[in-house]
Amino acid sequence: MEHQSQKAILVVSFGTSYEASRKATIEIIEQDIADAFPDYRIYHAWTSKFIISVLKKRDGISIPTVCEAIEQMIHDGIRILIVQPTHILDGIENNVMKETVLSYKDFFDQIVFGAPLLAASDDETHAIAAVTSEFKNLKATDALVLMGHGTTHQINTAYSELNRHFKSLGHSNVFIGTVEADPTIQDLVQEVTEFHPTAIYLTPFMIVAGDHAHHDMAGDSPDSWVGQFHAAGFEVCPVIKGLGEYAGIRAIFIEHIKKAISMLH
């Protein structure tokens, strides 16, 4: 039997029930990581038990929880563990995940965590470059509106900081709001109206283009972001594309894993 590596990378995602988006985002991120780190065994886990159960029931696909993935790794003889979340921020979801992983620390020689997408100012700069190069054909008079998730955690201020960062790099036509916190869609409609755009492009600032992108952002309801901008008199073009589809975003996760590996002793 060939010798299997005792080093592993666990890629942790929230998950999505949208098959096309899963394949285009989470699975491509995992593939990029596998390609970049051939000496490591790659495992994956999702944090949303609800989405895991939907996939199991609807598609017969079993995605492990963090606990299940770790128990599998212990069984497989993994001793050195790198955990890389595909979360955007180090918020509630990420903190719970880290606590769960650390409850198994006695089973490993070392555990190190890669940072979520936006952990430092450099990450923001790279994320901004990835998004703006994706929309490089945007006219200066068009507005690009990004839909973030938002969180009750204090780290939610990262969205406003990112908004400022876009502007400071000369992208005065890019605006960010959140579904579940501040800035709200009402704040955005006001801010974008003052910009007087000729057209508005809406796209999720989330790893996958899932429920929020399809319903809260691009849905038919008057409450959706498309609906609210229409009501304010704008022409709106929704772009249903998760951040995981952008090569520049996936590259940030690769860098975070490299940094995590450098912390091994």
Side-chain angles (χ1 to χ4, degrees):
M1 170 181 147
E2 66 164 315
H3 175 69
Q4 286 269 35
S5 172
Q6 292 187 314
K7 302 186 297 184
I9 297 169
L10 172 62
V11 186
V12 180
S13 302
F14 179 77
T16 178
S17 59
Y18 286 80
E19 184 186 16
S21 191
R22 181 188 82 234
K23 286 180 158 45
T25 58
I26 296 173
E27 290 182 12
I28 302 277
I29 292 169
E30 292 168 357
Q31 189 56 55
D32 277 10
I33 291 171
D35 293 344
F37 303 97
D39 297 344
Y40 285 76
R41 296 171 71 180
I42 310 296
Y43 293 79
H44 67 169
W46 288 4
T47 54
S48 171
K49 292 189 171 68
F50 173 72
I51 294 176
I52 288 173
S53 73
V54 167
L55 249 67
K56 179 86 179 144
K57 217 174 277 167
R58 188 190 69 193
D59 305 332
I61 294 173
S62 293
I63 305 277
T65 61
V66 172
C67 291
E68 288 165 351
I70 290 182
E71 280 156 17
Q72 184 62 52
M73 286 188 277
I74 294 166
H75 176 265
D76 293 346
I78 299 299
R79 302 300 306 166
I80 292 173
L81 173 58
I82 314 284
V83 181
Q84 179 58 54
T86 66
H87 301 142
I88 302 241
L89 301 173
D90 190 15
I92 298 162
E93 197 80 29
N94 208 52
N95 290 328
V96 169
M97 179 275 290
K98 286 192 280 196
E99 278 169 28
T100 305
V101 171
L102 290 174
S103 68
Y104 290 92
K105 67 179 186 296
D106 296 345
F107 293 95
F108 297 91
D109 296 338
Q110 291 189 72
I111 298 177
V112 289
F113 293 93
L117 186 70
L118 300 181
S121 182
D122 276 4
D123 296 332
E124 287 187 9
T125 307
H126 292 140
I128 289 169
V131 170
T132 51
S133 71
E134 195 68 32
F135 288 91
K136 59 180 179 288
N137 299 326
L138 211 65
K139 297 203 281 291
T141 53
D142 293 338
L144 176 62
V145 176
L146 306 173
M147 172 191 260
H149 190 276
T151 171
T152 51
H153 191 280
Q154 66 221 35
I155 202 159
N156 191 71
T157 54
Y159 291 106
S160 300
E161 281 165 30
L162 188 64
N163 199 20
R164 282 195 293 275
H165 203 149
F166 266 104
K167 307 283 193 292
S168 75
L169 292 172
H171 306 293
S172 57
N173 60 338
V174 180
F175 305 86
I176 302 178
T178 68
V179 191
E180 298 191 353
D182 292 322
T184 64
I185 176 62
Q186 288 76 24
D187 299 331
L188 275 178
V189 169
Q190 192 176 339
E191 204 188 336
V192 173
T193 301
E194 286 164 12
F195 178 73
H196 302 296
T198 39
I200 296 173
Y201 290 83
L202 276 180
T203 200
F205 193 80
M206 302 179 190
I207 296 302
V208 303
D211 267 338
H212 286 305
H214 286 269
H215 300 300
D216 301 313
M217 188 186 88
D220 297 331
S221 131
D223 291 339
S224 76
W225 286 27
V226 164
Q228 305 233 22
F229 278 116
H230 271 155
F234 295 107
E235 186 189 326
V236 191
C237 174
V239 181
I240 310 276
K241 185 167 188 171
L243 290 178
E245 296 185 49
Y246 302 23
I249 294 289
R250 298 196 298 274
I252 297 173
F253 290 126
I254 301 286
E255 286 308 310
H256 287 183
I257 294 172
K258 286 180 183 167
K259 196 173 279 185
I261 289 172
S262 74
M263 295 190 289
L264 292 170
H265 46 263

